[in-house]
Amino acid sequence: MDSHVADPGYVAAVRDLLGVLAYGELTACLRMAGDGQLAPSLNAQAGMARLAAIDYRHHELLVERMEELGIDPQSAMQPFVVTFAGFHARTRPKSWIEGLMKAYIGDGIARDFYREMAGFVDAQTRAVMEIALDDAGAAEFVVRVIRDTIATDPSTAGRLALWGRRLLGEALSHAQAVAVERDALAALLMGGGGGLAEVGEMFARLQGRHMERMARLGLDS
Amino acid sequence: MDSHVADPGYVAAVRDLLGVLAYGELTACLRMAGDGQLAPSLNAQAGMARLAAIDYRHHELLVERMEELGIDPQSAMQPFVVTFAGFHARTRPKSWIEGLMKAYIGDGIARDFYREMAGFVDAQTRAVMEIALDDAGAAEFVVRVIRDTIATDPSTAGRLALWGRRLLGEALSHAQAVAVERDALAALLMGGGGGLAEVGEMFARLQGRHMERMARLGLDS
């Protein structure tokens, strides 16, 4: 047991962090599989179901870690339900390929954000977060499918580039909302070092990695 | 390696059987998770994601068994895509609870049907089928949620009873379509014993077990 665990402010931050991550994995699982119903080939359907099953496994690991720490998983996840619903309402995909791109871009930004946050927690919690943040080949699968789609129908490229920019904006405001609305998370983030300047740099890093992901798709960012 | 595996008629039947079962698990996974997006509580969402992940694991096991037998999983599943799409188009749930009931009733009938078919195949294939047919507490979870829903709003009982009868009819014609459209499956089923009379008895057994499931929900069948 880590000595941090005795500090109530720290426990509150870890509860928020594991809660938002566990809820994120749960909704990612449901969304990925839901979008998979519209996938045009058996191969894409099976690939998306596989990713959904991995998301669920990550959710389970995070729930187990919360239980180890004496955190109630349901009440840790609950505060994020409304924020996530808002994000998803503002980024409703109009097609299967937009859904897949949302998973790649949105989950990519979320994953980078959580990885930054993992720097602030104890080693055991970080280890669980790192397993949950392993994308298990998801990006590779999704990049291949999206590139194939663009190759088959080059007119989709412009639309998907726009969609990518839109997703970046919405995902960054979502990440800010998550970090700012929860005092304990904000304290964890700000307590880590240089305050607001450091947070600004973190958001710049998130944007940089987003541009790399867009480049992998062959799209302008 | 089983000696059966040398007989081309038998291999064709096993290909169909594993193909339809693997495709059924894949669509069950995607559908369960897709419906889970509409579930009204975190607890129900997490329960449905768990079931979806188990369905995917079953799908994977069946794909592995096909690969062991030198069967191409994609082409084994492909013939069932259209039949399943027809079944799902005819039984589109109007609400989250109808979706959950469709999973319980539809998957229950499918599971009983496949269990009957498992009696006709070699021990190794049967063992894989039996793991895939283990519902891993799904029925228990779903029965609890549906009973809670009816207790909270008793006016749903009549509608759900009607929906159950509709699902029985559609699932039985779907099972017949699957068995009859595929020569190899029909031969496996008929070759097992008493021909048409035996098949009639099998469908009577499926109906009997459906009535037990409806009784567990406290609904008229």
Side-chain angles (χ1 to χ4, degrees), chain A residues 23 27 80-92 174:
Chain A
Y23 185 63
T27 56
F80 303 101
V81 171
V82 171
T83 322
F84 271 74
F87 170 71
H88 290 308
R90 285 189 305 276
T91 56
R92 216 179 287 292
H174 182 223

Side-chain angles (χ1 to χ4, degrees), chain B residues 7 12 34 92 113 116 193 211 220:
Chain B
D7 168 6
R92 215 178 289 287
F113 174 66
E116 298 270 356
M211 288 166 71
D220 296 334

Side-chain angles (χ1 to χ4, degrees), chain A residues 116-139:
Chain A
E116 298 271 357
M117 299 297 276
F120 303 118
V121 300
D122 61 277
Q124 238 181 312
T125 302
R126 184 159 54 242
V128 174
M129 286 180 70
E130 271 162 12
I131 296 171
L133 291 171
D134 178 355
D135 92 334

Side-chain angles (χ1 to χ4, degrees), chain B residues 193-213:
Chain B
L196 267 182
E198 167 66 25
V199 173
E201 280 166 31
M202 183 189 89
F203 278 96
R205 283 193 296 276
L206 295 183
Q207 280 200 45
R209 293 200 203 101
H210 167 75
M211 288 166 71
E212 289 164 20
R213 270 187 293 270

Side-chain angles (χ1 to χ4, degrees), chain A residues 68-142:
Chain A
E68 269 171 30
L69 294 171
I71 295 168
D72 174 51
Q74 295 256 355
S75 48
M77 290 189 279
Q78 197 66 56
F80 303 101
V81 171
V82 171
T83 322
F84 271 74
F87 170 71
H88 290 308
R90 285 189 305 276
T91 56
R92 216 179 287 292
K94 279 194 224 57
S95 65
W96 162 76
I97 195 76
E98 282 194 9
L100 204 57
M101 179 136 163
K102 174 173 164 180
Y104 173 63
I105 294 296
D107 295 358
I109 296 168
R111 197 168 278 127
D112 287 340
F113 174 65
Y114 295 130
R115 244 183 227 124
E116 298 271 357
M117 299 297 276
F120 303 118
V121 300
D122 61 277
Q124 238 181 312
T125 302
R126 184 159 54 242
V128 174
M129 286 180 70
E130 271 162 12
I131 296 171
L133 291 171
D134 178 355
D135 92 334
E140 207 180 318
F141 164 78
V142 172

